[in-house]
Structures are given as C-alpha cells and as structure tokens.
Amino acid sequence: MRIFQIMRQEGNMLYFATSAKKAVWQELQENPNVEILAYADNVSVRCSGMVNFYVDDDTKRWIFDHNDVLSRLYKSYDQLEYFCLPIAELDYFDLSPTPPINQHFDLMAGEVDNGFVGERFSK
C-alpha cells in the first residue's frame, strides 16, 4: 500500500510520477495490477486496473511543470519515472443517503451495476 498524488487525469486515465530508486517502482514493474482508494465526506471511490508504463514526453513535461513538489525535489522532469492507470473498474460508495448508494462501473465492458448498500449485502 502506498500513498500517491494523482498528477493528472484525462477521462478514465490517471497519471503518476515516482523515482526509479523507490521500491514501489520495481514492485509496479513486477506486478502492475493496482487498486486505489479515495475517501472524502462519506464518499469513497475504489478504482482498479493495470498500470501502463508508457507516458508520452509532453505529458511528462506537463506533470513536472504543474507540480510544485516535483520541481522542489528534482532538477528535471527526466529524473522521474511516469506511469498511468487506465481505470478498468470503479466502485462508488456514498454513505450520506439512507440507504447508502453503491455503484459498480466496469469501464472496459461499459457496464454499470446500481444499487443500495443494503440491497447488495443482504443477498
């Protein structure tokens, strides 16, 4: 498990950057299947997919130029490794309403499974 800042989003594609010296970079190359989880204000979103290690040079430069932290830690965009996550599946949970809402999206197949948390877990 790691904490990552999403550097850029385009549609269902999320972009990230890291150092090749970090263990996570080697781990991702050994097993590119990942899940990410975000939570705020009673809403959680879980995404899964397989990391893609090809990121074009223009996107790498944009990420570096638009992130203040990276420019403080590294002298140039090419000192980092970049990867992207095309989100294959997404689970959306909203615990605010009664009953809470649970939606599953299979973005590869274009399918949506709507339901309430109580319905999904009582079956």
Side-chain angles (χ1 to χ4, degrees):
M1 178 184 280
R2 301 288 197 286
I3 295 175
F4 266 95
Q5 179 183 15
I6 297 170
M7 300 289 174
R8 185 173 183 167
Q9 178 199 353
E10 293 176 351
N12 73 324
M13 188 79 69
L14 304 177
Y15 291 87
F16 304 89
T18 192
S19 169
K21 296 177 183 177
K22 292 184 178 180
V24 69
W25 180 246
Q26 182 64 37
E27 292 166 3
L28 283 170
Q29 295 198 359
E30 292 171 8
N31 182 3
N33 296 296
V34 300
E35 285 189 350
I36 62 173
L37 177 66
Y39 181 84
D41 301 324
N42 284 330
V43 173
S44 68
V45 177
R46 184 179 62 87
C47 304
S48 62
M50 183 178 291
V51 166
N52 181 335
F53 296 103
Y54 173 76
V55 176
D56 67 80
D57 202 59
D58 288 341
T59 300
K60 292 176 184 179
R61 289 176 189 264
W62 187 94
I63 289 169
F64 187 81
D65 292 343
H66 288 84
N67 188 290
D68 295 337
V69 174
L70 295 179
S71 61
R72 288 193 338 244
L73 299 174
Y74 302 93
K75 293 180 182 180
S76 173
Y77 82 99
D78 58 1
Q79 292 181 303
L80 292 159
E81 299 295 342
Y82 300 82
F83 61 96
C84 56
L85 174 64
I87 300 169
E89 295 189 38
L90 183 141
D91 290 304
Y92 171 86
F93 295 97
D94 185 348
L95 300 174
S96 298
T98 302
I101 297 171
N102 177 23
Q103 292 178 295
H104 176 79
F105 300 87
D106 183 336
L107 300 176
M108 303 306 275
E111 297 174 355
V112 177
D113 179 14
N114 292 309
F116 296 104
V117 172
E119 292 173 353
R120 178 176 300 272
F121 294 109
S122 65
K123 293 180 182 178

